[in-house]
């Protein structure tokens, strides 16, 4: 059965799946050092499990949107939840790092199908200001993953070991699949023709829209700040500052709240002119990073590290919320493709940029983390400058 009439339980269930990518990314972050020890792998080798997920998640979204627009959201979503659960169990039971790489690639593919389908669900059943409100809420709901997941993961690591993080994800996916079968149904009433030429033309049209493409870059730069911390923070906290996995989990929990706070502020200022508010936000972020560099040189502590990272991540969450809402609402007639491009290109940028920055500026101490933030902030400022200078008459009226 298909229907575009909103169903409260189905809507709540759709919202509950939005943070799944955050859970798949963040729940095992406190376990990265222990995971490397157990698998006899280096820090870069275990960090690669995160980058592979992000690359797979990003690339998958580039084409999964077109498939969802042609063949529907419901069945593919349920199948993806089941496959995701299976791959989690494989990771939890193997000692082969290369098999884990393969399963993390499957994670990216299946999570992409689930999340893009649920984002498209809202475009299917809601319109106007209600739709815009939900799109803004997405980044707030999505931030529940980075908030809750590492907190849970820290305790699972301390009590049972790194592999229980993946048993937890497997159980979560099976429960969601069962609820989806009971309460949800297909919302795509008028499937698009699966014509490769037409699909490619839609992709081309979106990617040649300046506000959309520069918005993708800004999304990638802002979220890379969070991902650089995810890659390096647990090693800094556990190895350099000599704290436990539970402490690392609490720190990730706090920084998850920072991302959510940025989303709330973004939603509250959603009607304000985009360029002006992002310019003010990036200026504030640059000043905070400069203060963090000075503080880390004078004397690094866990509290000073988390304090400055919290403020920097709040600014990053604000930038992400605004550009996510602006980009996803530009092409409501092709919701699946637009959703896939927004998520896909963003996470491809994030995967390559964050891993490159983490490789160039190793997970040594808080000063290196602040320098990583500085590099990404420079990219963000350049992106905003390009958006402003391309042409006021051409762009500002569309923003």
């Amino acid at each position: 059965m298909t229907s575009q009439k909103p169903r409260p339980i189905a809507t709540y269930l759709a919202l509950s799946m939005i943070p799944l990518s955050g859970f798949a990314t963040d729940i095992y972050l406190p376990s990265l050092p222990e995971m490397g020890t157990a698998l006899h792998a280096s820090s870069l080798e275990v960090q690669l499990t995160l980058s592979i997920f992000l690359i797979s998640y990003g690339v998958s979204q580039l084409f999964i949107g077109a498939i969802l627009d042609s063949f529907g959201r419901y069945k593919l979503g349920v199948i993806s939840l089941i496959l995701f659960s299976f791959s989690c169990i494989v990771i939890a039971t193997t000692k082969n790092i290369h098999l884990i790489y393969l399963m993390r690639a499957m994670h990216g593919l299946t999570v992409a199908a689930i999340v893009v389908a649920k984002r498209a669900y809202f475009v299917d059943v809601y319109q106007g200001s209600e739709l815009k409100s939900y799109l803004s809420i997405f980044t707030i709901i999505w931030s529940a993953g980075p908030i809750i997941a590492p907190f849970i993961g820290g305790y699972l690591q301390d009590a049972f070991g790194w592999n229980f993080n993946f048993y937890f994800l497997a159980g979560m996916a099976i429960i969601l699949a069962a609820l989806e079968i009971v309460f949800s149904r297909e919302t795509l009433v008028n499937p698009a023709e699966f014509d490769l030429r037409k699909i490619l033309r839609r992709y081309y049209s979106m990617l040649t829209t300046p506000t959309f493409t520069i918005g993708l870059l800004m999304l990638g730069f802002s979220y890379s700040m969070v991902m650089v911390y995810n890659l390096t923070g647990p090693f800094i906290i556990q190895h350099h500052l000599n704290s436990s996995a539970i402490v690392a989990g609490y720190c990730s929990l706090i920084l998850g709240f920072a991302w959510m706070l940025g989303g709330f502020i973004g939603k509250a200022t959603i009607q304000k002119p985009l360029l002006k508010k992002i310019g003010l936000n990036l200026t504030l972020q640059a000043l905070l990073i400069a203060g963090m560099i000075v503080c880390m040189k004078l004397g690094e502590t866990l509290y000073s590290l988390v304090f400055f990272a919290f403020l920097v991540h709040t600014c990053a969450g604000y930038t992400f919320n605004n550009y996510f809402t602006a980009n996803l609402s530009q092409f409501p007639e092709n919701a699946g493709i637009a959703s896939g491009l927004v998520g896909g290109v963003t996470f491809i940028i994030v995967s390559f940029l964050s891993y490159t920055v983490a490789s160039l500026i190793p997970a040594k101490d808080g000063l290196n983390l602040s320098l990583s933030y500085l590099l990404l902030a420079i990219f963000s400022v350049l992106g905003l400058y390009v958006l402003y200078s391309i042409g006021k008459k051409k762009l500002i009226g569309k923003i």
Side-chain angles (χ1 to χ4, degrees):
M1 295 180 63
T2 60
S3 174
Q4 286 190 306
K5 182 179 179 181
R7 303 178 70 201
I9 297 179
T11 295
Y12 296 143
L13 185 57
L15 288 172
S16 71
M17 293 191 197
I18 296 298
L20 186 59
S21 63
F23 267 87
T25 303
D26 287 33
I27 193 168
Y28 77 116
L29 293 180
S31 298
L32 287 177
E34 175 62 28
M35 191 174 174
T37 301
L39 298 172
H40 305 289
S42 68
S43 60
L44 279 177
E45 285 177 321
V46 293
Q47 286 170 348
L48 189 58
T49 64
L50 184 57
S51 296
I52 286 174
F53 168 80
L54 293 174
I55 293 170
S56 175
Y57 181 57
V59 172
S60 299
Q61 289 184 76
L62 294 178
F63 63 83
I64 204 71
I67 295 174
L68 292 167
D69 279 347
S70 297
F71 301 104
R73 328 322 191 167
Y74 172 70
K75 289 182 180 179
L76 186 58
V78 172
I79 293 171
S80 296
L81 283 165
I82 295 171
L83 289 176
F84 176 81
S85 180
F86 168 77
S87 59
C88 287
I89 293 173
V90 172
I91 292 174
T93 55
T94 187
K95 298 294 183 181
N96 188 325
I97 187 70
H98 296 97
L99 182 56
I100 291 176
Y101 290 158
L102 178 62
M103 293 298 101
R104 288 296 281 169
M106 182 181 288
H107 275 184
L109 173 62
T110 53
V111 171
I114 296 162
V115 173
V116 174
K118 289 310 173 184
R119 287 202 296 252
Y121 162 87
F122 288 94
V123 183
D124 288 343
V125 300
Y126 294 103
Q127 297 178 351
S129 60
E130 194 173 20
L131 172 60
K132 194 172 184 180
S133 177
Y134 271 117
L135 294 180
S136 181
I137 288 171
F138 276 2
T139 56
I140 299 172
I141 298 294
W142 176 58
S143 63
I147 289 173
I148 300 171
F151 175 74
I152 295 173
Y155 277 100
L156 289 175
Q157 160 65 41
D158 189 66
F160 306 108
W162 68 267
N163 51 345
F164 273 78
N165 292 306
F166 293 96
Y167 285 128
F168 178 88
L169 287 176
M172 178 181 173
I174 286 297
I175 292 172
L176 288 173
L179 292 173
E180 184 79 350
I181 291 170
V182 174
F183 295 109
S184 296
R185 55 187 171 186
E186 184 59 62
T187 57
L188 181 65
V189 177
N190 299 306
E193 179 186 0
F194 193 77
D195 185 315
L196 187 58
R197 290 183 180 180
K198 291 181 180 179
I199 291 171
L200 291 176
R201 281 199 294 269
R202 294 189 195 109
Y203 278 108
Y204 179 79
S205 175
M206 293 177 187
L207 291 174
T208 53
T209 302
T211 51
F212 188 79
T213 52
I214 296 175
L216 293 176
L217 291 174
M218 297 297 287
L219 288 169
F221 298 151
S222 58
Y223 192 55
S224 289
M225 290 189 176
V226 176
M227 197 53 58
V228 163
Y229 174 82
N230 288 347
L231 287 170
T232 63
F235 292 97
I236 295 172
I237 291 170
Q238 294 181 52
H239 291 170
H240 177 63
L241 297 176
N242 299 315
S243 296
S244 68
I246 292 179
V247 172
Y250 272 110
C251 291
S252 295
L253 173 69
I254 293 169
L255 297 185
F257 277 114
W259 183 264
M260 178 177 279
L261 177 60
F264 275 117
I265 299 172
K267 187 176 186 303
T269 60
I270 197 69
Q271 301 301 332
K272 302 293 182 181
L274 182 63
L275 293 181
K276 183 177 180 179
K277 63 186 178 183
I278 294 299
L280 291 172
N281 180 62
L282 292 181
T283 301
L284 175 60
Q285 187 178 59
L287 292 173
L288 290 168
I289 294 170
M292 182 177 182
I293 292 173
V294 172
C295 185
M296 294 301 106
K297 285 187 174 181
L298 292 176
E300 177 185 352
T301 67
L302 179 64
Y303 297 103
S304 61
L305 176 73
V306 173
F307 173 76
F308 279 103
F310 181 94
L311 296 175
V312 171
H313 286 207
T314 300
C315 293
Y318 182 85
T319 299
F320 191 94
N321 180 279
N322 278 277
Y323 277 103
F324 183 88
T325 302
N327 269 24
L328 207 56
S329 59
Q330 284 192 58
F331 303 101
E333 68 279 6
N334 296 117
I337 293 177
S339 175
L341 273 178
V342 168
V345 175
T346 297
F347 276 87
I348 289 173
I349 294 170
V350 169
S351 60
F352 283 106
L353 189 57
S354 59
Y355 188 75
T356 300
V357 171
S359 301
L360 293 174
I361 308 175
K364 186 178 70 172
D365 52 27
L367 179 60
N368 275 17
L369 178 62
S370 62
L371 293 175
S372 299
Y373 287 154
L374 178 61
L375 181 60
L376 293 168
I378 291 172
F379 289 151
S380 297
V381 170
L382 290 175
L384 186 66
Y385 174 77
V386 171
L387 181 60
Y388 183 79
S389 62
I390 281 177
K392 294 181 183 179
K393 292 182 180 180
K394 186 176 181 180
L395 294 178
I396 294 177
K398 297 181 180 180
I399 295 175

